[in-house]
Every structure is written in structure tokens, then in C-alpha cells.
Amino acid sequence: MRDLPLSKVYQLIEPGPVVLLTTGHDGARNVMTMSWHMVVDFNPPLIACIVSDRDHSFVALRATKECVIAIPSVELAAKVVAIGNCSGREVDKFATFRLTPKTDGRVSAPLIAECFANIECRVVDTRLVNKFGLFVLEGLKAWVDPLKKNPKTIHHQGFGRFVVDGDTIELASRMP
Amino acid sequence: MRDLPLSKVYQLIEPGPVVLLTTGHDGARNVMTMSWHMVVDFNPPLIACIVSDRDHSFVALRATKECVIAIPSVELAAKVVAIGNCSGREVDKFATFRLTPKTDGRVSAPLIAECFANIECRVVDTRLVNKFGLFVLEGLKAWVDPLKKNPKTIHHQGFGRFVVDGDTIELASRMP
């Protein structure tokens, strides 16, 4: 085995799919690109994610305790990267990237019509926010677009390199 | 958009790659299959993961505060599923699944020679363990096997269905 620098560990473990996280606060909405999230529990669905205090979305997420996780397929990859390379401090990202916000959900954050799935979430634990930017979310309502068939998600490997979903395999398993 | 049951949200968001988590405690070693993990910070690498108190590995992880995250490629998929479908309470999984433990690392948990990458970790935060089984780990040392070229990882979609890494795309990005 070869020695790998610790600074590259995140490229090994970085989860997928890359998602978008939206917030709505004080009449403004925003969206950020996020790769650092995981499932915490099945039902109700709990999801942990990292939103740094350097992210513009941090203040809105902490204040409203609400967000939407929107899942893009590979067709949106260029927009996903561009969204992650600018800040809501300077740009109205929904307008700039021609994303269609849907605000008829139950949370203050908009859904994104172009994504194949959207999960409306509320923050349920903030104990690790100050130290790690780690929010625990509960999924309140989830949506999928049945017109977007077999969406392929993307997984970040660092520095703009993404692996796209490939073949699917089925193995007998007792695990949900 | 179509209404999706909340019980299926985790299938949307479940991260990848599927990994193996090993522990060593009281002269016994164990390995579990894990899909619920995320990056928390770059350097030093921090990784959060969920190990339930129903998992046999829970006691060893909490007691030793050490583990190894070993990353298998698709060639090991059948073993990965089988490892996840039995318990270290009843089975010596290293023997049963012919995994080669390497114990010359700095932690009490063994590396797995058959995996293309291994990350030696210590537990650095346990505040969310009681409520969520959420451990925050620091990667202490990482290893890759240079003989395993272009490993394809697997991503669980629930019930034994896995997406295998497909094509790679490169997009100009300012993000690490």
C-alpha cells in the first residue's frame, strides 16, 4: 500500500450524490452546492449535513431552521458547479442560473423544479453546529419528478472531477 | 412532481461509497458494512458516521475510540453485502469472508488488505452518539493500494441495489 496525504482523505470518502441546498430568509432565497451529507436514520428520515459559517446559507439555515435538499441529475452538472463557485452574497443564484423556485412547500425554502427530487427539511439538532457546522435535519416532505426517468447523480472527487452513476447491480440483501 | 413516502427519503440521499468499518477490542476484531458517512472537514480529515447501538461494532468503537474505514471496489460487492447481513456476535467475519487483516497500523482496528483504500481513524466527538449513533472521526493515516487501478466504488440505493461508478467528467471548478 502507498502512503496517501491526509489532505486527500476527503476525496476518498466524499459522499454522493452532490446536492443543492436552498434556503429562504428575509425575503431572499439562496442555493448552495453540497457534497457533505449523510443519512442518520430511516423514518422519519434524518439527514446530517455540513454548512460552514463561511457559506452564505449558514445564517439563513440557522435562523429559519428550514431548508430544501434538491437533487440534480448529471444534465445539471455545469450549473451545479457554477452554483458552488459563487456566493449568494453577490449573486441571485436562482435568476443567474435560471432555476425555477417552487414556494408552495411547507418550509420557507424553495424547491427547485429542475431537480429530480426535493426534500423539505427542518433542523432538529444544532449541538455540533458551532464546532463543525454539522446540522441534523429531519425530512418533512419529499418530492420526485416522475418525468425525469432514471436520473444519474454525480459524486464529487475533488477539484471539479465527478463520477457519474454507472451500471446498477442487484444483490440479495436483508438490509433496507 | 409526485409525492414520495418519507420512508424512502434515505434512498435518495444515501451517500457513497459503501465502506467497511473495522474495530479491534479485547482481542477480537470485527467489520461492518456502512453507507452512512460524510466528510466534515478537509484537513485534518474529519468524517462523521452512524454506528447504531444495535451494531455489534458499537461497543468496540465507543470503548476503543478507534476504527478503520476500508473502501472496497465493486469486485468485493458480494462480500460487502454478506458482511452487512450477519453480525460479529455470531461470526468471525474476517475468517468467514477471507479478509486479510493488517494490524501494523497505529490503531487497534485492522486494515483490510483487499480494499483499495484504508483510513485509520480515532473518535474525536461523541456528543451525538447517544441520540443518533453519530460519531465524528479524525483520519490519522490513510493508505491506498497502487496496484488497484481506477477502483469503481458502489453506492447503495436500498435493498441490495447498488449503483456502480460510471464515467468521470471534469468541470472547471474552484472548489477542492
Side-chain angles (χ1 to χ4, degrees):
Chain A
M1 292 197 188
R2 181 168 65 75
D3 193 354
L4 183 76
L6 286 174
S7 62
K8 295 195 171 183
V9 163
Y10 78 95
Q11 293 181 9
L12 293 174
I13 200 76
E14 190 155 34
V18 178
V19 302
L20 300 171
L21 182 139
T22 79
T23 46
H25 182 44
D26 279 348
R29 56 195 171 217
N30 192 28
V31 53
M32 65 176 276
T33 300
M34 181 170 78
S35 287
W36 293 3
H37 55 79
M38 66 174 175
V39 181
V40 171
D41 209 346
F42 287 110
N43 200 8
L46 299 180
I47 299 163
C49 67
I50 305 293
V51 176
S52 160
D53 59 8
R54 298 180 300 278
D55 293 318
H56 186 58
S57 303
F58 181 85
V59 171
L61 181 58
R62 196 170 52 178
T64 64
K65 292 185 179 288
E66 293 180 343
C67 64
V68 165
I69 293 178
I71 308 181
S73 56
V74 63
E75 293 78 11
L76 292 173
K79 283 192 185 185
V80 167
V81 170
I83 290 165
N85 278 266
C86 64
S87 171
R89 283 183 196 88
E90 288 102 36
V91 178
D92 176 344
K93 298 200 203 182
F94 276 86
T96 302
F97 301 111
R98 297 171 186 266
L99 299 173
T100 311
K102 290 171 62 73
T103 55
D104 52 351
R106 62 185 68 189
V107 296
S108 52
L111 283 64
I112 300 177
E114 288 77 10
C115 288
F116 73 86
N118 282 270
I119 308 163
E120 299 180 50
C121 301
R122 71 182 177 98
V123 175
V124 293
D125 197 295
T126 58
R127 278 179 283 168
L128 299 193
V129 167
N130 284 346
K131 188 165 181 190
F132 300 115
L134 190 156
F135 292 81
V136 181
L137 312 175
E138 178 183 343
L140 300 175
K141 183 79 182 169
W143 306 88
V144 290
D145 183 345
L147 298 180
K148 297 187 169 63
K149 306 279 189 199
N150 302 314
K152 288 188 179 296
T153 62
I154 58 175
H155 307 259
H156 196 214
Q157 293 188 318
F159 301 99
R161 182 182 166 96
F162 296 85
V163 173
V164 184
D165 285 346
D167 295 336
T168 298
I169 57 177
E170 304 260 0
L171 294 165
S173 174
R174 291 194 285 116
M175 292 296 133
Chain B
M1 292 196 185
R2 181 167 65 76
D3 194 355
L4 184 76
L6 285 174
S7 62
K8 295 195 171 183
V9 163
Y10 77 96
Q11 293 182 11
L12 292 174
I13 200 76
E14 189 155 36
V18 178
V19 302
L20 300 172
L21 183 139
T22 79
T23 46
H25 182 43
D26 279 348
R29 56 196 172 218
N30 192 26
V31 52
M32 64 176 276
T33 299
M34 181 169 78
S35 284
W36 294 2
H37 55 79
M38 67 174 174
V39 181
V40 171
D41 210 345
F42 287 109
N43 200 9
L46 299 181
I47 299 163
C49 67
I50 305 293
V51 176
S52 160
D53 59 9
R54 297 180 299 278
D55 293 318
H56 186 57
S57 304
F58 181 85
V59 171
L61 180 59
R62 196 170 53 176
T64 64
K65 292 184 179 292
E66 292 180 342
C67 64
V68 166
I69 293 178
I71 309 181
S73 56
V74 63
E75 293 78 10
L76 292 174
K79 283 192 185 185
V80 167
V81 170
I83 290 164
N85 278 266
C86 64
S87 170
R89 284 183 195 89
E90 287 103 36
V91 178
D92 176 344
K93 298 201 203 183
F94 276 87
T96 302
F97 301 112
R98 296 171 185 267
L99 299 172
T100 310
K102 291 171 62 73
T103 55
D104 52 351
R106 63 185 66 189
V107 296
S108 52
L111 283 64
I112 300 177
E114 289 76 11
C115 287
F116 73 87
N118 281 269
I119 308 163
E120 299 179 49
C121 301
R122 71 182 177 98
V123 175
V124 293
D125 198 295
T126 57
R127 277 179 284 168
L128 299 194
V129 167
N130 285 345
K131 188 163 179 190
F132 300 116
L134 189 157
F135 293 80
V136 181
L137 311 174
E138 179 182 342
L140 300 175
K141 183 80 181 169
W143 306 88
V144 290
D145 183 345
L147 298 180
K148 296 187 169 64
K149 307 281 190 197
N150 302 315
K152 288 187 179 295
T153 63
I154 58 175
H155 306 259
H156 197 213
Q157 293 188 320
F159 301 99
R161 182 181 165 96
F162 297 85
V163 174
V164 183
D165 285 347
D167 294 336
T168 298
I169 57 177
E170 304 259 2
L171 295 165
S173 174
R174 291 194 285 114
M175 291 295 133

